[in-house]
Amino acid sequence: MQEIAMSAVIKIFQVGARTYKHVMSTAHDSVELRDESNAVLLVFGSDARVRSPKGRLGDFFVEVLDGLPRWVYYEMSGQSRRVLSPDRHVAEVEVSREYIGSMAACQAF
């Protein structure tokens, strides 16, 4: 018996006038950031790595800060560290919003 790959929208949000969504994909055991045309912009893997179509962008780690666990995102290119939400899905939305903002800034030039 072959397993059927399924996906489900887990979060819809807006950045400016555009709508984006996070989709849980059982085929890849990941969460995908998709735009209005359903193109995959980012993939948040179960291995806590973040990838774009161009390659790996960064990694999530859980760190205990002030006695509480938080998701921390380490970006590969700039070696920057961002402390995010204790909830992974909220942290993924924060990274998605920043990625979308940086894409829009690059397109403006």
Side-chain angles (χ1 to χ4, degrees):
M1 182 178 212
Q2 188 175 11
E3 187 175 321
I4 298 172
M6 306 210 26
S7 63
V9 174
I10 57 174
K11 180 75 176 174
I12 297 173
F13 58 98
Q14 284 193 276
V15 177
R18 296 188 175 216
T19 302
Y20 298 88
K21 59 189 169 190
H22 277 172
V23 177
M24 177 69 74
S25 171
T26 60
H28 301 96
D29 196 22
S30 62
V31 173
E32 299 170 343
L33 169 64
R34 296 186 186 178
D35 65 10
E36 293 170 320
S37 66
N38 218 27
V40 176
L41 305 176
L42 290 178
V43 176
F44 298 91
S46 61
D47 59 0
R49 292 186 172 153
V50 181
R51 296 172 181 85
S52 76
K54 295 181 181 181
R56 188 163 146 211
L57 297 178
D59 299 313
F60 279 107
F61 292 94
V62 174
E63 295 182 11
V64 177
L65 303 167
D66 297 325
L68 299 171
R70 300 290 294 253
W71 283 101
V72 179
Y73 179 67
Y74 289 88
E75 189 174 305
M76 303 286 292
S77 64
Q79 295 299 318
S80 66
R81 173 184 181 266
R82 289 191 304 279
V83 177
L84 303 169
S85 171
D87 179 273
R88 181 164 173 185
H89 293 298
V90 172
E92 290 170 347
V93 170
E94 290 178 52
V95 170
S96 294
R97 287 181 185 275
E98 193 166 305
Y99 179 77
I100 293 163
S102 69
M103 281 184 1
C106 288
Q107 291 173 354
F109 289 104

